């Protein structure tokens, strides 16, 4: 059974009322009724306005409460001050969803904010889902739904568009119609007081009409839900996104417009990559990508081949590919040999493939055929410049013919205007993306192919803590932080900062603090000369700038002098600074060491972020920094390192041996663990982290902490939930030991094999159909979960050294955030042995610990065994009021 999504009344309404409908032309209520009629709405349409008996032939009522049936959707077009009362009336009438189109709410000052608050509270009290206010509305072309004031509607298609800007929706729709680009849905969010990106994305994931999703984002309110929904969507459909507010001025404008927080752009970019999403940067790129996806342009990888009749355009394409890190395909020897047979001797003999200016249609066709058959090629850009021998229209016709049977994307760039115009028309008619210049063509290929590349990042599900033989001492790190906070300090001193690093097994340069010149000499002698000395002050971040650092001190006299000099110089420049003393540590001398910077900070939108780049005194000038969202694993750490310029200097070069890369990766993994397990950390810098061929050592460290309120979930502070390894349990049964653990993406084959072996009856009782195999999209949805709004436990045993799944139980949190719905299935051989009860015990306890109030389930009325089982667990059963083949069960988890 395909369960109906809770937003179905909004996006697939069977009954709609336009509140504020009007006969007055150009009035918002008039435009809405006209748009619904012109779109050919297939359900029942009503108008609401006490002034009329009908509007444009649609029956009109004084109030929504007078309409003789319950409404799925009411669209409010009146002035803002009337909206709270109308929403209240909708609630009394049993309306399920409401769209509020007008502005005049939080965008217009204190009175508007109060109206918005009252509107939301009325909707929440009546369990109405609300879209807006200050939005364009919703379009669903296939259903004849145009509940918007967009001029002209939309063509039916497969692209789902979600935008915080109604004006941008209008512009895209105006472009799409003449370009024959269609949409499954167009959703304008407006201020998003209730329904936001996350929920609309979740709906589009389950919507069979939507094949790809476009988003226009100004800011995010709920980062966890947003990232979770993006990841869920990108697992099964290409998701492309434009984000504005990339710079401070734009961020401020976006905040004023949408009321959402913007956050640092580099962090947003890291979140998108981790979510498997393609980022676009301007409307031209969006239009090109929309055209390509609508034409089913589907790269399988990102290795590009370029065919051109002019060297210059080929170089332009290759340069843009290099900018975007798109690899130019390396032609196989067999391909080069075949090209030698059909091309002039002076062809380029490499990629870009310059087939020379006198290339005719036959030469283009033969070259394209050969290049498409090369296993190293994953996409082909064909460029034509209108030279004397070229016949642009005929070449276009031959390419269209070849592209029909090609299993790789082909796209074109016909440069010029008059002579190539007809060729471009041939491509457009055939649905082949075509461009006027090479650069945007390469950008398109990069953007669409990025979806497939980012899938590798998407499926990474690291644990918060590695299964290392030398695990970190989380408890001792927490004690250091609690001690500082109890003393009302947020800046940890260097010794405390390094104590945290040491607790997570990060190698440190041992530090001690001297409070007199004599003590400094004694400590220096104990540590062993030479030493480094630094001011120890919670007030000072950049010690060297204030004269608070001395390095490579080789004698005790030098240590004594340095102590006095540091204090005098710092007091002179910062007389207000609190000074604890001078920190002393062994001078780390690594002739082949590279100075790196590793750190973390708390982004206001996405929570903890890990940073990596070049270190040393000039870190702020170099600005060589890459960022990633934790949790990290080895794959993600390698990706983070490769994203920096300094990464090219970590291997062997000149007389320098390569660094011990494993030790650097180890430090980054440990930093990831720190920010996962220590939510108090607000800022952290290790600069420098010196890494050479032997290992890594943290020379200087600075950590800032904050008080935080405890939450039900230990990882609430993170945008991406780690793999919850702490929930792995082992249970003993007469048949042997069974592992019960959270599911992970790598379990895809395990899950497929498990379902394959289920009997038709068990499949029907679990999935309510008798499918033989799980479709790939369903496998992804079942195994790639976010662990925050859903949880799945698999029970496994070992058979001849191979892990075998014998049962699975899962829940998904409902939209109210307080209840969840569960499902369970156990392999035939393991039924009636108590495994289901043990699995449900683990699932119920996890839901209870997450603070959920109730667990619900839906069962077939004739599934007697399941009904008795859930009743024995304490579930209360009720009949479905609309379907007598269904029963509902509920179990209270709290109180």
């Amino acid at each position: 059974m395909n369960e109906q999504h809770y937003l179905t009344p909004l996006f697939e309404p069977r009954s709609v009322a336009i509140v504020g409908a009007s006969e007055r032309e150009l009035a918002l209520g008039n435009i809405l009724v006209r748009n619904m009629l012109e779109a050919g709405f297939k359900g029942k349409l009503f108008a609401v306005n006490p002034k009329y008996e009908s509007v444009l032939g649609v029956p009109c009522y004084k109030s929504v409460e007078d309409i003789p049936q319950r409404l799925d959707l009411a669209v409010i077009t009146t002035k803002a001050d009337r909206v709270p009362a109308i929403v209240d009336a909708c609630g009394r009438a049993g309306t399920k969803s409401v769209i509020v189109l007008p502005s005049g709410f939080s965008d217009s000052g204190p009175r508007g904010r109060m109206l918005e608050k009252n509107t939301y509270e009325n909707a929440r009290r009546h369990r109405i889902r609300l879209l807006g206010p200050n939005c364009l509305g919703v379009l669903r072309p296939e259903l004849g739904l145009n509940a918007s004031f967009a001029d002209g509607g939309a063509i039916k298609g497969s692209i789902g568009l979600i935008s915080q800007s109604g004006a941008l929706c209008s512009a895209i729709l105006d472009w799409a119609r003449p370009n024959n680009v269609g949409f499954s849905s167009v959703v304008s969010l407006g201020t998003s007081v209730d329904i936001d990106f996350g929920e609309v994305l979740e709906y589009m994931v389950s919507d069979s009409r939507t094949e790809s999703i476009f988003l226009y984002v100004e800011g995010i309110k709920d980062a966890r839900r947003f990232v979770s929904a993006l990841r869920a969507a990108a697992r099964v459909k290409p998701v492309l996104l434009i984000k504005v507010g990339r710079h401070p001025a734009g961020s401020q404008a976006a905040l004023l417009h949408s009321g959402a927080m913007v956050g640092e752009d580099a962090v947003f970019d890291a979140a998108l990559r981790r979510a498997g999403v393609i980022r676009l940067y301007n409307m031209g790129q969006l239009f090109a990508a929309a055209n390509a996806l609508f034409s089913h342009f589907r790269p399988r990888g990102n290795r590009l081949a370029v065919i051109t009749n002019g060297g210059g355009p080929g170089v332009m394409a290759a340069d843009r590919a290099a900018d975007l890190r798109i690899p130019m395909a390396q032609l196989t020897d067999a391909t080069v040999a075949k090209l030698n047979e059909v091309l002039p001797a002076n062809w380029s003999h490499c990629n870009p493939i310059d087939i020379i200016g006198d290339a005719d249609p036959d030469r283009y066709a033969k070259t394209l055929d050969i290049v498409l058959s090369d296993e190293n090629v994953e996409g082909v850009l064909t460029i034509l410049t209108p030279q004397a021998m070229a016949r642009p229209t005929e070449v276009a016709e031959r390419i269209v013919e070849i592209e029909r049977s090609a299993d790789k994307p082909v796209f074109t760039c016909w440069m010029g205007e008059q002579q190539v115009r007809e060729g471009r028309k041939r491509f457009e008619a055939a649905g082949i993306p075509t461009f006027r210049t090479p650069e945007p063509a390469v950008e398109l290929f990069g953007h669409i192919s990025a979806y497939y590349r980012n899938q590798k990042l998407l499926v990474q599900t690291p644990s918060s803590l590695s299964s290392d033989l030398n695990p970190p001492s989380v408890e001792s790190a927490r004690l250091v932080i609690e001690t500082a906070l109890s003393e009302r300090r947020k800046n940890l001193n260097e010794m405390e900062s390094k104590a945290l690093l040491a607790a997570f097994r990060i190698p440190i340069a041992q530090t001690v603090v001297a409070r007199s010149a004599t003590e400094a000499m004694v400590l220096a002698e104990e540590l062993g000369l030479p030493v480094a000395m630094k001011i120890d002050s919670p007030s000072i971040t950049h010690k060297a700038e204030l004269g608070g650092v001395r390095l490579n001190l080789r004698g005790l006299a030098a240590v004594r002098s340095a102590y006095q000099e540091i204090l005098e110089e710092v007091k002179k420049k910062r007389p207000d600074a609190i000074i604890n003393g001078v920190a002393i540590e062994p001078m780390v001398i690594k002739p082949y060491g590279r100075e790196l910077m590793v750190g973390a900070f708390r982004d206001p939108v996405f929570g903890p972020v890990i940073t990596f780049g070049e270190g040393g005194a000039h870190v702020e000038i170099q600005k060589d920094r890459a960022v990633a969202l934790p949790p990290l694993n080895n794959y993600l750490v390698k990706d983070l390192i490769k994203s920096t310029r300094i990464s090219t200097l970590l291997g062997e070069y000149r007389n320098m041996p390569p660094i011990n890369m494993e030790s650097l990766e180890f430090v980054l993994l440990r930093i990831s663990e720190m920010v996962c397990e220590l939510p108090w950390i607000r800022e952290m810098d290790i600069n420098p982290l010196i890494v050479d061929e032997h290992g890594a050592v943290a020379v200087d460290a600075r950590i800032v902490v904050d008080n935080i309120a405890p939450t039900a979930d230990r990882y609430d502070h993170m945008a991406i939930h780690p793999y919850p390894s702490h929930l792995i349990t082992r249970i003993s049964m007469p048949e042997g030991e069974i592992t019960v653990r959270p599911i992970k993406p790598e379990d895809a084959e395990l899950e497929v094999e498990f379902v394959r072996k289920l009997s038709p009856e068990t499949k029907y009782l679990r999935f309510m159909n008798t499918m033989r195999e799980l479709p790939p999209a369903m496998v992804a949805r079942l195994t790639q979960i976010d662990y925050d709004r859903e949880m799945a436990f698999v029970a496994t045993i070992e058979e001849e050294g191979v892990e075998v799944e014998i049962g699975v139980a899962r829940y998904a949190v409902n939209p109210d955030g307080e209840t969840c719905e569960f499902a369970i299935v156990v392999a035939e051989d393991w039924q009636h042995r108590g495994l289901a009860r043990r699995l449900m015990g683990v699932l119920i306890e996890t839901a209870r610990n997450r603070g959920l109030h109730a667990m619900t389930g839906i069962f077939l009325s004739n599934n007697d065994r399941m009904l008795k089982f859930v009743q024995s667990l304490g579930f209360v059963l009720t009949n479905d009021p609309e379907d007598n083949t269904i029963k509902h069960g509920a179990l209270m988890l709290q109180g």
Side-chain angles (χ1 to χ4, degrees):
M1 183 180 73
N2 291 322
E3 295 166 27
Q4 199 177 69
H5 193 278
Y6 62 90
L7 290 183
T8 297
L10 172 63
F11 293 120
E12 300 180 37
R14 290 167 294 184
S15 53
V16 177
I18 309 300
V19 183
S22 175
E23 285 280 356
R24 186 164 49 87
E25 245 184 88
L26 299 182
L28 188 56
N30 181 273
I31 292 168
L32 261 291
V33 175
R34 193 179 300 280
N35 279 354
M36 290 289 287
L37 293 172
E38 289 177 358
F41 178 55
K42 296 171 184 175
K44 292 186 177 178
L45 182 63
F46 304 95
V48 176
N49 191 327
K51 296 179 183 176
Y52 306 104
E53 291 191 3
S54 69
V55 173
L56 301 177
V58 175
C60 191
Y61 297 84
K62 288 184 171 59
S63 164
V64 287
E65 293 178 89
D66 296 329
I67 295 172
Q69 71 171 78
R70 286 191 174 189
L71 295 168
D72 281 339
L73 173 63
V75 186
I76 301 176
T77 68
T78 65
K79 290 184 177 177
D81 56 4
R82 296 185 56 201
V83 170
I86 292 170
V87 170
D88 193 38
C90 286
R92 292 194 300 272
T95 304
K96 295 173 183 174
S97 55
V98 167
I99 300 175
V100 180
L101 300 180
S103 57
F105 292 89
S106 57
D107 55 316
S108 64
R111 186 171 181 276
R113 282 194 290 275
M114 183 56 67
L115 286 172
E116 185 171 288
K117 180 172 178 285
N118 292 342
T119 298
Y120 174 68
E121 286 176 352
N122 287 349
R124 188 173 177 83
R125 187 171 68 255
H126 292 293
R127 294 180 176 268
I128 291 172
R129 298 316 307 271
L130 189 148
L131 184 70
N134 192 14
C135 70
L136 182 76
V138 170
L139 296 93
R140 294 274 284 167
E142 190 169 317
L143 304 177
L145 177 70
N146 185 357
S148 79
F149 56 93
D151 186 23
I155 300 169
K156 181 173 70 175
S158 59
I159 295 172
L161 172 65
I162 313 171
S163 173
Q164 280 178 318
S165 167
L168 187 105
C169 285
S170 298
I172 291 174
L173 290 171
D174 190 56
W175 164 83
R177 284 187 297 273
N179 285 280
N180 202 33
V181 170
F183 297 88
S184 61
S185 310
V186 178
V187 183
S188 165
L189 295 175
T191 313
S192 303
V193 297
D194 178 24
I195 295 170
D196 202 0
F197 276 112
E199 291 182 281
V200 181
L201 273 167
E202 286 162 11
Y203 176 81
M204 288 192 181
V205 170
S206 64
D207 178 34
S208 60
R209 298 180 181 91
T210 301
E211 294 179 12
S212 52
I213 301 170
F214 281 61
L215 297 96
Y216 171 87
V217 179
E218 294 176 346
I220 302 303
K221 292 183 177 178
D222 185 342
R224 170 72 72 82
R225 181 150 205 172
F226 177 69
V227 173
S228 168
L230 279 180
R231 286 163 65 85
R235 285 169 193 138
V236 291
K237 301 174 184 183
V239 180
L240 300 93
L241 182 150
I242 287 183
K243 158 74 162 55
V244 295
R246 291 188 292 120
H247 304 292
S251 295
Q252 188 59 32
L255 181 62
L256 292 170
H257 186 193
S258 65
M261 296 182 74
V262 180
E264 187 174 332
D265 192 66
V267 177
F268 194 94
D269 206 55
L272 295 186
R273 292 183 68 234
R274 188 72 182 276
V277 170
I278 307 159
R279 184 169 187 178
L280 309 174
Y281 290 89
N282 56 57
M283 293 300 295
Q285 291 175 354
L286 185 144
F287 293 152
N291 237 331
L293 287 171
F294 195 64
S295 305
H296 300 283
F297 182 87
R298 298 284 188 272
R300 294 177 304 184
N302 65 344
R303 292 177 295 177
L304 176 66
V306 177
I307 299 170
T308 176
N309 67 343
V315 174
M316 291 165 70
D319 281 348
R320 190 65 186 127
D323 291 342
L324 300 172
R325 298 188 180 186
I326 297 169
M328 297 296 287
Q330 187 75 40
L331 301 177
T332 64
D333 292 342
T335 296
V336 173
K338 288 176 186 174
L339 291 173
N340 281 335
E341 293 174 13
V342 300
L343 295 179
N346 59 336
W347 77 279
S348 61
H349 291 83
C350 63
N351 182 21
I353 303 153
D354 183 356
I355 61 175
I356 312 305
D358 62 353
D360 60 9
D362 199 45
R363 191 184 296 173
Y364 263 102
K366 287 177 179 175
T367 304
L368 181 57
D369 259 333
I370 293 167
V371 172
L372 281 170
S373 65
D374 189 315
E375 62 189 18
N376 290 345
V377 172
E378 291 165 322
V380 183
L381 168 60
T382 305
I383 301 173
L384 180 142
T385 57
Q387 300 185 40
M389 302 293 289
R391 301 200 292 277
T393 306
E394 290 178 50
V395 175
E397 288 167 349
R398 296 291 295 277
I399 288 172
V400 167
E401 191 179 324
I402 293 168
E403 192 273 343
R404 283 195 193 107
S405 58
D407 63 349
K408 298 172 183 177
V410 174
F411 53 117
T412 65
C413 170
W414 259 217
M415 299 180 74
E417 190 55 49
Q418 188 174 338
Q419 295 180 56
V420 299
R421 189 180 297 129
E422 199 58 39
R424 283 200 200 113
K425 287 181 181 177
R426 297 285 200 280
F427 293 133
E428 287 164 3
I432 296 174
T434 187
F435 298 85
R436 285 173 159 75
T437 56
E439 290 89 350
V442 174
E443 287 170 9
L444 169 74
F445 181 74
H447 289 137
I448 306 295
S449 62
Y451 168 69
Y452 299 90
R453 187 172 69 251
N454 287 354
Q455 295 301 294
K456 292 178 182 176
L457 299 180
L458 172 60
V459 298
Q460 305 301 315
T461 311
S463 172
S464 60
L465 289 170
S466 64
S467 54
D468 195 84
L469 295 175
N470 188 17
S473 175
V474 178
E475 194 55 41
S476 64
R478 285 177 180 159
L479 286 170
V480 172
I481 293 171
E482 286 169 6
T483 301
L485 291 174
S486 69
E487 296 171 3
R488 299 190 175 181
R489 290 188 294 114
K490 293 189 175 181
N491 292 343
L492 303 187
N493 61 39
E494 188 164 342
M495 288 177 66
E496 290 168 327
S497 297
K498 286 185 174 177
L500 255 63
L501 300 183
F504 279 78
R505 313 308 180 210
I506 295 171
I508 59 168
Q510 185 188 355
T511 300
V512 290
V513 175
R515 289 171 176 79
S516 70
T518 302
E519 192 178 0
M521 289 189 290
V522 171
L523 292 172
E525 193 162 35
E526 284 180 5
L527 288 171
L529 296 165
V531 295
M533 298 176 66
K534 308 168 194 172
I535 194 71
D536 182 34
S537 167
S539 314
I540 296 169
T541 300
H542 301 291
K543 306 177 183 78
E545 290 177 10
L546 299 178
V549 177
R550 297 292 186 278
L551 302 175
N552 208 20
L553 300 166
R554 296 182 172 274
L556 295 182
V559 168
R560 183 180 57 195
S561 301
Y563 184 93
Q564 297 297 345
E565 289 168 7
I566 287 172
L567 289 184
E568 287 169 10
E569 203 163 334
V570 170
K571 284 178 179 175
K572 184 178 177 183
K573 291 178 179 176
R574 280 288 304 275
D576 60 323
I578 299 167
I579 297 173
N580 298 325
V582 174
I584 303 174
E585 61 191 45
M587 185 68 200
V588 177
I589 300 173
K590 288 179 173 279
Y592 300 123
R594 278 69 145 188
E595 289 195 351
L596 305 174
M597 181 281 299
V598 174
F601 66 94
R602 191 188 303 159
D603 182 77
V605 178
F606 292 100
V609 178
I610 294 170
T611 65
F612 170 74
E614 186 176 355
H618 306 297
V619 63
E620 276 142 7
I621 299 168
Q622 299 291 349
K623 293 186 176 177
D624 178 25
R625 184 185 71 154
V627 301
L629 264 60
L632 301 180
N633 60 10
N634 287 96
Y635 183 92
L636 295 167
V637 162
K638 286 179 170 68
D639 184 72
L640 175 65
I641 294 169
K642 281 191 295 187
S643 301
T644 60
R645 293 192 300 274
I646 192 68
S647 64
T648 59
L649 303 180
L650 302 182
E652 186 175 357
Y653 77 100
R654 295 181 184 168
N655 65 333
M656 303 271 279
I659 69 160
N660 184 326
M661 189 61 76
E662 284 184 7
S663 64
L664 173 58
E665 291 171 7
F666 174 87
V667 171
L668 285 163
L669 287 170
R670 289 307 196 212
I671 296 297
S672 172
E673 292 177 354
M674 285 182 74
V675 296
C676 288
E677 298 299 326
L678 304 175
W680 302 273
I681 292 176
R682 193 176 78 201
E683 294 173 30
M684 172 166 51
D685 286 315
I686 303 174
N687 183 25
L689 175 78
I690 300 181
V691 190
D692 67 1
E693 69 274 27
H694 302 297
V697 60
V699 175
D700 202 350
R702 179 186 70 92
I703 295 177
V704 181
V705 294
D706 247 344
N707 276 303
I708 59 158
T711 58
D713 183 352
R714 65 199 281 179
Y715 302 118
D716 264 354
H717 61 297
M718 303 178 67
I720 298 174
H721 200 292
Y723 180 76
S725 51
H726 62 285
L727 295 178
I728 298 173
T729 58
R730 286 174 178 82
I731 57 177
S732 294
M733 294 184 69
E735 297 81 359
E737 189 176 78
I738 296 169
T739 300
V740 176
R741 60 170 176 77
I743 204 165
K744 52 190 176 184
E746 295 90 331
D747 292 330
E749 280 303 314
L750 205 67
E751 188 79 356
V752 167
E753 188 63 23
F754 171 68
V755 173
R756 185 182 291 137
K757 290 179 178 176
L758 295 176
S759 69
E761 181 191 10
T762 301
K763 286 179 186 174
Y764 182 74
L765 292 174
R766 165 60 183 93
F767 299 104
M768 304 201 184
N769 67 46
T770 54
M771 59 187 171
R772 287 187 178 183
E773 299 258 343
L774 287 174
M778 185 180 284
V779 175
R781 288 176 64 185
L782 292 176
T783 57
Q784 298 176 31
I785 65 173
D786 73 350
Y787 308 109
D788 175 35
R789 292 178 300 105
E790 52 191 331
M791 180 57 72
F793 287 98
V794 289
T796 67
I797 56 169
E798 268 203 22
E799 289 183 354
E800 298 177 3
V802 177
E803 189 179 29
V804 176
E805 182 178 336
I806 58 173
V808 59
R810 61 179 71 239
Y811 70 69
V813 179
N814 291 318
D816 59 16
E818 297 179 350
T819 63
C820 65
E821 187 174 310
F822 89 95
I824 184 170
V825 62
V826 172
E828 266 78 14
D829 292 347
W830 286 85
Q831 292 176 10
H832 312 295
R833 298 190 187 188
L835 177 60
R837 186 170 294 276
R838 302 290 289 270
L839 267 174
M840 283 301 296
V842 172
L843 193 71
I844 289 167
E845 191 60 26
T846 303
R848 185 175 282 129
N849 291 339
R850 289 280 171 89
L852 296 172
H853 293 173
M855 180 176 283
T856 64
I858 300 173
F859 319 104
L860 289 171
S861 297
N862 61 357
N863 190 354
D864 294 331
R865 199 167 68 204
M866 175 60 87
L867 296 176
K868 287 177 183 175
F869 173 64
V870 296
Q871 281 182 303
S872 73
L873 292 172
F875 281 77
V876 176
L877 297 176
T878 55
N879 294 321
D880 188 297
E882 297 176 4
D883 187 345
N884 60 12
T885 68
I886 296 295
K887 282 189 181 287
H888 297 270
L891 173 70
M892 299 308 295
L893 298 174
Q894 309 291 339

